[in-house]
Amino acid sequence: MHTAIDLKVFYFGTPVVLITTRNPDGSTNIGPMSSAWWLGTTCMLGMNDSSRTARNMLRERECVLNLPSAEQAAPVNRIALVTGEPEVPEHKIARGYTHEPDKFGAAGLTEQESEIVGAARILECPVQIECAVVDAGPFFRPGITAFQADTRRVHVDEDLVIPGTDYVDPLKWDPLIMKFCEYFGEGQPVHSSELARGWRMPHHMGEPEHLRAPAPAG
Ligand SMILES: Cc1cc2nc3c(=O)[nH]c(=O)nc-3n(C[C@H](O)[C@H](O)[C@H](O)COP(=O)(O)O)c2cc1C
């Protein structure tokens, strides 16, 4: 039986994307996000205008879409509640955000030079897509922008490629999925989520049970 509810969050499960963009000083910012989907080789990205990522994409008209696997939940979580913007907006302060100019250092991730785009790629991400931002327009409500990012070059960890083809093996690729602000891989929770804490989600998952440290003896 179904029940009609006033659903508060519609994040049913989408891949986490770490968008790298070039800052005005030439350094690279990382923006974790998950409102992303592809049609053919073009990606639709929904970003809050107050993010450094949205501002960088509007100015530079390019970005890299780095796709972490479930193994990278910890570094993603380390930069869940920080922004590259020096002026942290009120709504983010209320959720616990702080300013972090060095996202690579804070996450413990490694910069890898891109071939086309000015921003660096993220070495640890098995899939990296260099893109041109070809369109941007209003979406949902004021303060949100839908970006259209066209693929310019794709880099994939060779262990994930079906030998002799240009296809990723779906049995080998385990994307990090964001579901109701929690991190999942292969249908299972993989890490505690600062985002869920900041958003005050009601499920109180914390650290997944199978990953919790055993209670000290005695
Ligand atoms: C897993 C995850 C998914 C997120 N998804 C989105 C999203 O789809 N759109 C968005 O605007 N912000 C999203 N955020 C919040 C952004 O990461 C946040 O706005 C952050 O400040 C962006 O960094 P920046 O300001 O340095 O660009 C998400 C955060 C996390 C951790």
Side-chain angles (χ1 to χ4, degrees):
M1 191 195 295
H2 294 75
T3 182
I5 63 168
D6 179 17
L7 188 60
K8 300 301 179 202
V9 176
F10 287 70
Y11 299 153
F12 298 105
T14 41
V16 173
V17 180
L18 298 177
I19 306 181
T20 45
T21 50
R22 189 161 58 176
N23 289 317
D25 68 0
S27 63
T28 295
N29 186 58
I30 306 176
M33 61 88 68
S34 61
S35 302
W37 52 266
W38 280 260
L39 194 58
T41 55
T42 292
C43 187
M44 249 285 293
L45 302 153
M47 279 306 292
N48 194 303
D49 294 349
S50 68
S51 64
R52 168 137 293 213
T53 300
R55 290 174 180 167
N56 285 352
M57 282 201 287
L58 283 173
R59 189 186 60 256
E60 304 283 326
R61 294 277 160 181
E62 57 180 28
C63 63
V64 185
L65 307 179
N66 302 270
L67 274 62
S69 73
E71 277 178 17
Q72 276 107 37
V76 172
N77 191 52
R78 284 197 280 270
I79 53 169
L81 293 183
V82 293
T83 173
E85 272 299 301
E87 299 283 320
V88 185
E90 283 301 324
H91 71 271
K92 283 192 170 165
I93 291 174
R95 291 196 158 143
Y97 278 79
T98 54
H99 169 55
E100 174 54 70
D102 176 14
K103 298 273 192 94
F104 278 92
L109 292 168
T110 314
E111 293 194 38
Q112 181 179 22
E113 202 178 331
S114 295
E115 292 177 0
I116 297 172
V117 165
R121 295 176 274 159
I122 301 174
L123 179 68
E124 289 82 357
C125 288
V127 178
Q128 309 153 331
I129 308 171
E130 296 188 52
C131 292
V133 174
V134 295
D135 201 8
F139 182 74
F140 171 43
R141 61 168 163 75
I144 304 285
T145 296
F147 291 90
Q148 188 180 317
D150 278 7
T151 300
R152 291 293 179 262
R153 186 159 295 169
V154 181
H155 310 266
V156 179
D157 181 335
E158 57 188 17
D159 290 343
L160 299 179
V161 179
I162 300 173
T165 77
D166 290 309
Y167 289 86
V168 168
D169 187 339
L171 291 174
K172 292 189 175 161
W173 171 229
D174 179 20
L176 179 61
I177 297 292
M178 198 277 273
K179 189 161 66 163
F180 300 111
C181 296
E182 298 287 353
Y183 302 110
F184 279 73
E186 297 186 334
Q188 296 301 314
V190 291
H191 201 279
S192 61
S193 170
E194 285 297 289
L195 189 70
R197 195 174 58 78
W199 279 57
R200 297 180 185 87
M201 300 297 281
H203 43 254
H204 299 303
M205 260 181 58
E207 188 71 354
E209 202 170 338
H210 61 285
L211 299 176
R212 271 178 220 153

